[in-house]
Amino acid sequence: MIVAASTGCFPEIPIPEVIEVLSDLEFTAVEIVMDDAGTQMPPERIADDFDECLRLVRDTHRLDICSYNVRILAEGEEHYRRFEKICDLAKATKVVTLTIPSGEHGTPFNQEVEHLQRMVQIAEDRGARVAIKTQMGCLSEDPDTVKNLCDYVPGVGVTLDPSHILCSNNRNKNYEKLLKYVYHTHLRDSKKDKLQVRVGQGEIEYGRLITQLQTVGYDRALCVEMTPSDEMDMRQELRKLRLLLDSLL
């Protein structure tokens, strides 16, 4: 396994500057966020200015790109058009894993299955694979629903974020059933009543998680994904979590 960090830890900073920061913090790999609600690398921009986005992404030579974290706001065919361009970008940059959100609560299960089937087909045609993030407020906050989606849609995997399970109403459900589907991870420290706290003040059992992942042969990224907060020094917290994860590997 490798320890990586998300560009989403510094969402207001352009990607080249984030790469410099993460490199200075001695990370060796990065996840690039592609969010239509953000400014770093929105999918709309990728679809409309592919060559320039490809140039920017290729200029991360100091860090390996372990994954793309994708959030597309467009609906209908435009949603799939933007995803196709992201998959083209992934193929050109040799990135395999693409994290996407599942549907929000209330999304019909069959509708979500059909959507994921199309996303998986688009990705597989370009040598990439789709992982749905375990996330509060979405169908994927429930480990049982995630497992069912993975079973119904061959090829779809999971980006396991234990914090979102811990802080949801499904905290008592065992997520071990998801381990064999895990393509990627998102990590921070959390308490049951707070999604993000300072490293060491939360309840996430990193050592146990790493052991569980090792038992299923997981050998990819442990990706630190934190949200900027006035309550903490982001660089210090990122460094602390990197050192902790490195010490457990």
Side-chain angles (χ1 to χ4, degrees):
M1 296 185 212
I2 59 172
V3 180
S6 170
T7 61
C9 296
F10 301 97
E12 303 304 319
I13 302 176
I15 285 178
E17 294 180 31
V18 179
I19 298 302
E20 292 297 323
V21 171
L22 297 180
S23 181
D24 289 344
L25 292 171
E26 299 185 41
F27 285 93
T28 58
V30 62
E31 173 184 77
I32 294 179
V33 173
M34 299 175 169
D35 185 350
D36 272 326
T39 59
Q40 288 180 338
M41 186 71 67
E44 181 179 18
R45 180 182 174 193
I46 295 169
D48 295 339
D49 195 1
F50 181 86
D51 291 342
E52 174 61 15
C53 290
L54 178 59
R55 184 192 68 78
L56 282 171
V57 171
R58 280 181 168 163
D59 197 26
T60 59
H61 56 276
R62 294 183 64 183
L63 298 179
D64 294 326
I65 304 173
C66 64
S67 61
Y68 292 143
N69 187 3
V70 178
R71 181 169 174 254
I72 301 171
L73 296 183
E75 299 180 352
E77 289 304 311
E78 178 62 16
H79 183 102
Y80 300 109
R81 183 182 80 89
R82 293 183 190 180
F83 188 65
E84 285 177 356
K85 298 303 288 186
I86 289 170
C87 291
D88 290 338
L89 192 73
K91 182 176 181 179
T93 53
K94 300 181 180 179
V95 173
V96 174
T97 303
L98 308 175
T99 295
I100 64 171
S102 70
E104 296 179 353
H105 278 313
T107 303
F109 184 82
N110 288 344
Q111 178 181 318
E112 184 68 4
V113 166
E114 291 174 3
H115 169 66
L116 290 174
Q117 286 173 334
R118 185 162 179 186
M119 297 289 272
V120 167
Q121 186 61 60
I122 292 170
E124 288 184 344
D125 287 347
R126 294 159 176 81
R129 59 186 184 179
V130 170
I132 52 175
K133 177 183 170 74
T134 55
Q135 187 172 2
M136 287 189 296
C138 297
L139 296 175
S140 58
E141 79 170 25
D142 181 356
D144 293 335
T145 301
V146 175
K147 183 180 185 303
N148 288 337
L149 287 170
C150 291
D151 290 339
Y152 271 88
V153 186
V156 77
V158 176
T159 291
L160 180 63
D161 189 327
S163 295
H164 278 264
I165 296 175
L166 175 69
C167 295
S168 75
N169 293 327
N170 297 285
R171 66 175 62 95
N172 294 322
K173 291 188 177 182
N174 192 332
Y175 63 70
E176 288 189 26
K177 67 189 74 175
L178 302 181
L179 292 175
K180 67 179 181 178
Y181 303 104
V182 173
Y183 291 169
H184 189 53
T185 62
H186 283 161
L187 301 175
R188 71 194 65 74
D189 214 351
S190 308
K191 295 181 178 180
K192 292 182 179 68
D193 61 349
K194 194 168 185 180
L195 185 64
Q196 180 173 292
V197 297
R198 289 185 176 88
V199 176
Q201 295 183 356
E203 303 173 42
I204 302 299
E205 299 179 55
Y206 303 104
R208 179 171 177 267
L209 174 63
I210 288 171
T211 299
Q212 290 174 321
L213 291 170
Q214 287 173 334
T215 62
V216 295
Y218 182 84
D219 59 358
R220 294 173 287 277
L222 301 172
C223 184
V224 179
E225 189 203 48
M226 294 183 178
T227 302
S229 169
D230 293 335
E231 300 176 4
M232 59 183 68
D233 181 329
M234 283 296 292
R235 298 189 187 209
Q236 182 182 50
E237 294 302 310
L238 283 165
R239 182 181 289 108
K240 283 162 57 178
L241 190 45
R242 180 189 64 76
L243 289 169
L244 173 57
L245 295 172
D246 277 338
S247 72
L248 294 170
L249 293 176

